[in-house]
Amino acid sequence: MRQYSIYVLWLWFGLFACTRQASQEELQYLEEISFNDGWKFTKGEQEKGMSPDFDDSKWRKLDLPHDWAIEGPFDIQYNARAGGLPFHGIGWYRKTFKVARQLEGKKAFIHFEGVMNRAQVWVNGQLIGGRPYGYSGFQLDMTPYLKFGEENTVAVKCAPEDLSSRWYPGAGIYRDVWLEYKDPVHVAFDGTFITTPKIENGNATVNIKTELVNTSSEAATLQLETVVLNKLGEQVKSITSEVKLNAGGQTEVEQDIVLEKAQLWDLENPYLYKAVTFVKKGNELLDKKQTTFGVREISFTADKGFLLNGKHVRLQGVCLHHDQGPLGTAVNRRAKERQLQIMKDMGTNAVRTSHNPPSKALLELCDEMGLLVIDEAFDCWKMAKVENGYNKFYDEWSERDLRDLIRRDRNHPSIIMWSIGNEILEQSQKDGWKETCRLARITKDEDTSRPVTAGFNYYPASVINKLAEEVDIPGFNYKPMKYKEILTQHPDWIIYGSETSSCTSSRGVYHFPIEPYKTHESNQVTSYDLIGPNWSYPPEHEFDMLAENPNVLGEFIWTGFDYLGEPTPYGGRDNSTNGYWNGDWPVHSSYFGAADMCGFPKDRYFLYQSQWSKKPMVHVLPHWNWEGKEGDIIPVHAFTNCEEVELIVNGKSYGKKVKGVDLTPIPMVNRFWDSEKPLMSKYRLNWEVPYEPGSIKVIGYTNGKVMVEKEIHTAGKPHHIALEADRSAIIADGKDLSYVTVKVVDKDGNLCYTASNDIQFEIEGAGQIAGVGNGNAASLTPLQGKHMEVFSGMALAILKAEKEAKGQFTLKATAEGLESASIEINLQDQAL
Ligand code: GAL
């Protein structure tokens, strides 16, 4: 260890020695530089928007990432299927920046992590490239168009079309942008590939492939040095290779490092290493690149399922769209971290990035938090699902988009499969297997260390037309009742539920009696979890089928969170509306989530938690505020991971029920079974209770011992506002967030479920409201405004600090007829 420390000290000294004469700007070339701040933006076509001398003084100033559509307004003229927000049209971004004269001779790249969509980029008036697919990252070479030592202008035009997405895609430069100045000899873009092919007796072989590029006109003899750092940043190993690179050449260098007593990456301890690559020519450091990786072994077998480091893991997955509720799609790391934590607390261990390449932030967080990922490329291939969808670009771009996705993401230990598509319509085609085969080959060409998958919803067409055969692991959407049949016919197949349940509900809403309906006049969906489209089924059906088929890898529920768009079971799917789903306006966001758009758990969240988590829990529904229904029978349901639950209403016991023995009928209509015969749920306990106001309490027992309890009370009159921040201190960087839960409560602090007060928010001090929400799919109140009505008694205010602010700021919440509330958020310079 000591030897390495000395060695790296030398290395750093070497770096210092060779660059100490250089200016700050010159030094920049070793790192990616954030290019997010100081942009100008306007909506609408600008004929000369790309020209350096265009007058953009009236455009709005902003920092990226930015999603123009989330700013609203909601309007029936926009498609509810895509969120009822103005995501289509044209948007222009411009930024002027100086490039130091000393950088002349370096290569200059601009790197966009994602622009929604049909992006075109100009530098000093010259079109340098673009990207149609809004979910692909791309790097462009600016070198020939830059003026060193002078001001330069970069202009970006995005042109998302109407009817181009089945969900809310967001709009604009919604992911990070970077500048990269490089020596002509450097590591290629996304050119590092690290795998851990052998782990034996605690020692791991780390295989590092590095692509080097020489864009200069001289051959170069180089040293490629890779240093592995452990979690604490200590050097544990290094290796140096001598490389000869021709002028204009490119080569791949392969290095193997053995890590003794390697720390494995797993779900409980997601241990991460870093590999730092140094490209040197003698004493001169030409490039430096840092790559995070994990040491882990994944395997999939038909009899044992999925093994992580030799240990069986059942996939308890969620499908996630990329929006962040009231914040829209402008990527925010803290927003994603909170989303993933909420999912983890439900017992989730896997995420499917439905149905597109995710943000880098999401993958980094999954690495750090110990979540498995299916990284998905496409929602459609050549056959269109929407009029202006990705099919328009497919022939020209699919190979490039797929390769770029894999090259970008292949070092993440969290990723266990590459998905080449979701419910692609080619399933219906006799030759659909050909395209499957082409994409699977491209995927393998980039990475053989992970299996290729796809989510199929046509059954048996996807099997008959041989698409399922062409992937390593076919995923089946909504087909639990076919698992047995598929595995009987194909005993060597490894399969899983790539999309399951699609049950719908609104947080805190209950309709009596419990009976199926298509839609409800309230524009909400009962939270007893029995309503959904005709391909859906209650979560319990999947649990049963997974229990019967233990070698099915597991499931990915549709969805972890509600998302903007796709307001099923409302809206319409028929073609008479020309692709618009506005029949039940103002409904405009989904009901599928286990948590709502604010991240507040619905009842279904606890149903999954009772199946997926071990920490003793118990949950009861509905709420207990049924004025006017005194004496009526109310069905009370409980979820638990304990053995038994006792229900106590106003001090009186309604008896204990045993999980798995006392069954609950769920009368869900589904085309796969007879609606006369309800599903008998082994996962819910139920009691019929005459309503009287007061309290209901559930107590969870295991081995006769009380493990956990939960009590809810009938609320009195709305009395005051209660605020609770998930974090009372945040970093003053303009990005970090505090999520404040807003509740209308009675004088004793009980949540008033039936309240709908409009809450006004005001900030005192250097803070800002980043977004507001309430989880109501039918609310048209702007998500970026300063007020929000509570829904089932609750709302959310998302706060951020102004950059470099000090001290604290205060959020004040007021509403007519209620005592107001305020909360202080302290500001920090950096994470503690
Ligand atoms: C699936 C589709 C998802 C979503 C879901 C709703 O068919 O793959 O994207 O639309 O249905 O149930």
Side-chain angles (χ1 to χ4, degrees):
M1 179 65 72
R2 194 165 179 196
Q3 193 182 329
Y4 292 126
S5 309
I6 292 166
Y7 179 71
V8 167
L9 205 71
W10 171 86
L11 204 72
W12 286 109
F13 178 72
L15 164 62
F16 179 69
C18 74
T19 53
R20 79 195 137 88
Q21 301 299 333
S23 69
Q24 266 314 103
E25 278 144 334
E26 255 186 308
L27 278 174
Q28 288 175 348
Y29 80 86
L30 288 178
E31 306 286 351
E32 288 196 329
I33 305 156
S34 172
F35 205 54
N36 282 342
D37 290 354
W39 286 76
K40 294 281 195 70
F41 167 73
T42 195
K43 264 170 94 171
E45 183 54 299
Q46 309 291 320
E47 216 189 305
K48 295 260 160 45
M50 68 291 283
S51 312
D53 49 7
F54 182 88
D55 179 10
D56 60 15
S57 57
K58 297 218 166 54
W59 290 18
R60 181 173 144 199
K61 284 187 189 152
L62 51 74
D63 297 336
L64 305 176
H66 173 235
D67 169 9
W68 83 60
I70 198 66
E71 295 166 7
F74 287 111
D75 197 302
I76 193 166
Q77 65 169 301
Y78 310 118
N79 193 354
R81 187 181 199 183
L85 287 163
F87 80 87
H88 53 90
I90 289 177
W92 278 91
Y93 294 84
R94 284 168 58 90
K95 173 166 166 151
T96 302
F97 62 110
K98 188 155 181 215
V99 185
R101 187 171 298 287
Q102 297 93 312
L103 286 170
E104 194 141 24
K106 304 278 180 252
K107 299 289 288 179
F109 299 100
I110 188 162
H111 168 196
F112 295 89
E113 288 191 11
V115 183
M116 190 60 71
N117 71 351
R118 300 206 302 150
Q120 288 175 287
V121 182
W122 289 262
V123 169
N124 296 328
Q126 297 275 334
L127 184 66
I128 64 162
R131 195 70 170 225
Y133 196 31
Y135 298 104
S136 282
F138 57 103
Q139 190 208 47
L140 300 172
D141 185 359
M142 300 193 291
T143 323
Y145 317 101
L146 278 186
K147 292 181 281 180
F148 291 85
E150 290 177 44
E151 293 282 312
N152 294 269
T153 306
V154 59
V156 181
K157 176 183 171 181
C158 341
E161 288 180 285
D162 194 8
L163 303 176
S164 58
S165 179
R166 294 196 301 118
W167 57 86
Y168 175 72
I173 310 183
Y174 75 110
R175 291 182 179 166
D176 290 328
V177 185
W178 304 92
L179 273 195
E180 294 160 2
Y181 295 108
K182 299 257 169 213
D183 190 274
V185 176
H186 56 264
V187 178
F189 180 59
D190 287 334
T192 312
F193 186 15
I194 303 180
T195 50
T196 51
K198 198 164 118 196
I199 305 170
E200 232 172 44
N201 306 324
N203 302 331
T205 305
V206 181
N207 178 265
I208 304 143
K209 295 193 181 90
T210 310
E211 284 171 32
L212 294 174
V213 184
N214 179 1
T215 63
S216 78
S217 50
E218 277 169 38
T221 300
L222 309 165
Q223 293 78 47
L224 175 73
E225 172 139 40
T226 303
V227 178
V228 174
L229 310 179
N230 67 14
K231 199 171 164 181
L232 303 172
E234 297 161 346
Q235 298 82 47
V236 288
K237 265 281 160 88
S238 76
I239 186 167
T240 304
S241 313
E242 184 96 359
V243 187
K244 287 206 165 59
L245 199 50
N246 292 338
Q250 177 148 359
T251 191
E252 184 184 271
V253 183
E254 194 164 344
Q255 298 173 314
D256 277 330
I257 286 182
V258 176
L259 296 181
E260 283 93 23
K261 296 209 186 87
Q263 296 269 349
L264 301 187
W265 183 93
D266 63 26
L267 303 186
E268 292 74 38
N269 179 26
Y271 194 96
L272 294 171
Y273 288 93
K274 281 195 168 67
V276 191
T277 307
F278 298 93
V279 183
K280 295 191 296 175
K281 194 157 102 192
N283 277 338
E284 198 185 348
L285 183 64
L286 303 182
D287 199 7
K288 180 182 143 213
K289 188 98 212 139
Q290 191 162 288
T291 309
T292 301
F293 69 97
V295 176
R296 55 106 176 106
E297 194 176 62
I298 55 169
S299 63
F300 299 82
T301 64
D303 56 338
K304 294 205 191 87
F306 170 61
L307 305 179
L308 176 62
N309 302 323
K311 211 175 104 199
H312 178 246
V313 178
R314 200 101 205 256
L315 301 177
Q316 298 165 176
V318 291
C319 294
L320 294 182
H321 270 319
H322 73 307
D323 76 50
Q324 305 151 150
L327 300 180
T329 59
V331 173
N332 182 291
R333 198 181 151 92
R334 172 57 200 156
K336 295 252 175 272
E337 183 184 42
R338 174 178 177 267
Q339 284 187 328
L340 293 175
Q341 192 57 53
I342 291 170
M343 289 295 105
K344 261 189 90 116
D345 293 345
M346 183 169 79
T348 302
N349 63 16
V351 171
R352 173 177 178 237
T353 69
S354 41
H355 305 295
N356 47 259
S359 61
K360 278 191 169 183
L362 180 115
L363 296 173
E364 284 165 9
L365 286 160
C366 288
D367 289 349
E368 288 164 22
M369 297 169 78
L371 284 160
L372 305 166
V373 176
I374 295 181
D375 199 350
E376 191 151 84
F378 307 118
D379 187 49
C380 82
W381 295 348
K382 287 169 198 270
M383 292 173 73
K385 288 186 179 173
V386 284
E387 210 165 288
N388 294 314
Y390 181 71
N391 52 295
K392 282 172 115 179
F393 314 115
Y394 184 83
D395 281 341
E396 190 182 343
W397 286 93
S398 57
E399 177 167 354
R400 178 87 191 269
D401 284 326
L402 182 57
R403 285 191 191 276
D404 284 0
L405 164 74
I406 298 166
R407 286 173 60 84
R408 185 195 71 167
D409 293 348
R410 57 195 172 171
N411 297 314
H412 291 282
S414 54
I415 297 176
I416 56 168
M417 292 189 234
W418 303 112
S419 169
I420 54 174
N422 171 61
E423 299 192 349
I424 27 102
L425 297 177
E426 282 78 352
Q427 290 168 97
S428 64
Q429 307 295 299
K430 279 217 154 26
D431 63 353
W433 63 272
K434 287 189 186 158
E435 200 49 32
T436 318
C437 175
R438 184 181 79 93
L439 294 176
R441 280 197 186 148
I442 293 170
T443 310
K444 293 283 179 205
D445 187 41
E446 293 293 344
D447 179 17
T448 49
S449 76
R450 296 172 177 92
V452 180
T453 186
F456 298 116
N457 62 325
Y458 290 178
Y459 182 83
S462 55
V463 176
I464 293 171
N465 294 332
K466 298 195 168 50
L467 289 89
E469 228 173 81
E470 291 296 334
V471 295
D472 301 309
I473 300 185
F476 289 95
N477 290 5
Y478 310 106
K479 298 293 173 292
M481 64 301 281
K482 300 291 177 193
Y483 292 158
K484 192 150 270 157
E485 181 178 306
I486 299 170
L487 289 177
T488 308
Q489 287 169 10
H490 307 275
D492 55 334
W493 279 15
I494 305 165
I495 65 168
Y496 67 106
S498 29
E499 220 166 287
T500 60
S501 182
S502 262
C503 207
T504 53
S505 57
S506 306
R507 177 181 49 80
V509 173
Y510 308 92
H511 298 141
F512 305 116
I514 301 182
E515 62 185 13
Y517 52 74
K518 265 193 132 173
T519 53
H520 192 267
E521 60 195 8
S522 62
N523 275 343
Q524 303 300 341
V525 180
T526 183
S527 206
Y528 280 99
D529 286 323
L530 62 147
I531 309 295
N534 70 356
W535 58 92
S536 73
Y537 47 83
E540 286 103 319
H541 182 48
E542 189 75 37
F543 297 160
D544 279 339
M545 295 299 110
L546 288 175
E548 276 183 28
N549 298 281
N551 40 5
V552 173
L553 301 181
E555 66 165 319
F556 287 78
I557 66 169
W558 191 265
T559 45
F561 289 92
D562 278 335
Y563 50 93
L564 282 159
E566 217 176 39
T568 316
Y570 298 95
R573 284 200 115 161
D574 61 290
N575 294 332
S576 61
T577 49
N578 192 25
Y580 269 58
W581 285 27
N582 291 350
D584 294 298
W585 189 258
V587 168
H588 59 267
S589 65
S590 89
Y591 297 80
F592 291 116
D596 71 13
M597 276 209 346
C598 295
F600 299 145
K602 301 182 192 171
D603 294 298
R604 197 159 6 106
Y605 179 94
F606 298 101
L607 176 53
Y608 284 109
Q609 195 179 52
S610 73
Q611 185 68 1
W612 286 356
S613 75
K614 295 229 159 36
K615 187 172 156 215
M617 59 75 60
V618 65
H619 179 72
V620 63
L621 63 136
H623 63 68
W624 212 236
N625 302 273
W626 302 109
E627 207 181 332
K629 288 193 187 298
E630 287 76 5
D632 289 2
I633 296 295
I634 305 287
V636 174
H637 287 190
F639 310 135
T640 190
N641 53 10
C642 302
E643 287 170 358
E644 300 174 293
V645 177
E646 182 178 12
L647 174 72
I648 314 251
V649 182
N650 293 326
K652 178 182 157 201
S653 174
Y654 277 74
K656 285 183 182 172
K657 301 253 174 174
V658 183
K659 190 176 174 188
V661 174
D662 294 309
L663 310 182
T664 300
I666 311 292
M668 189 172 185
V669 175
N670 179 296
R671 66 183 145 153
F672 301 112
W673 67 74
D674 183 354
S675 60
E676 300 291 301
K677 265 199 321 194
L679 172 99
M680 297 306 291
S681 172
K682 295 201 256 320
Y683 311 87
R684 304 189 200 196
L685 301 165
N686 83 96
W687 296 261
E688 304 275 290
V689 179
Y691 177 65
E692 52 171 320
S695 87
I696 51 173
K697 177 156 106 176
V698 276
I699 307 172
Y701 296 86
T702 296
N703 290 327
K705 262 181 45 198
V706 174
M707 304 302 288
V708 59
E709 55 181 62
K710 201 179 226 179
E711 183 168 16
I712 50 173
H713 296 266
T714 308
K717 282 207 183 76
H719 177 266
H720 63 273
I721 301 171
L723 301 179
E724 198 186 326
D726 67 338
R727 294 149 100 222
S728 56
I730 58 172
I731 304 165
D733 60 358
K735 293 181 192 156
D736 201 13
L737 301 170
S738 178
Y739 282 76
V740 180
T741 300
V742 181
K743 290 182 179 166
V744 171
V745 295
D746 69 6
K747 63 178 183 4
D748 301 318
N750 297 308
L751 180 64
C752 298
Y753 273 91
T754 52
S756 55
N757 308 62
D758 193 17
I759 314 284
Q760 308 291 324
F761 299 111
E762 201 187 314
I763 298 273
E764 279 170 10
Q768 283 169 11
I769 297 172
V772 290
N774 64 9
N776 178 0
S779 168
L780 295 179
T781 308
L783 299 173
Q784 304 266 296
K786 292 197 164 47
H787 72 104
M788 182 54 71
E789 71 281 4
V790 291
F791 176 63
S792 293
M794 290 165 72
L796 176 74
I798 310 170
L799 311 179
K800 64 180 181 183
E802 278 165 21
K803 276 187 196 164
E804 290 167 34
K806 302 266 178 243
Q808 69 271 334
F809 66 83
T810 305
L811 171 75
K812 273 185 72 177
T814 54
E816 239 181 81
L818 296 178
E819 266 181 29
S820 57
S822 63
I823 194 164
E824 249 181 34
I825 306 294
N826 293 311
L827 303 180
Q828 293 166 197
D829 291 342
Q830 55 188 37
L832 290 177

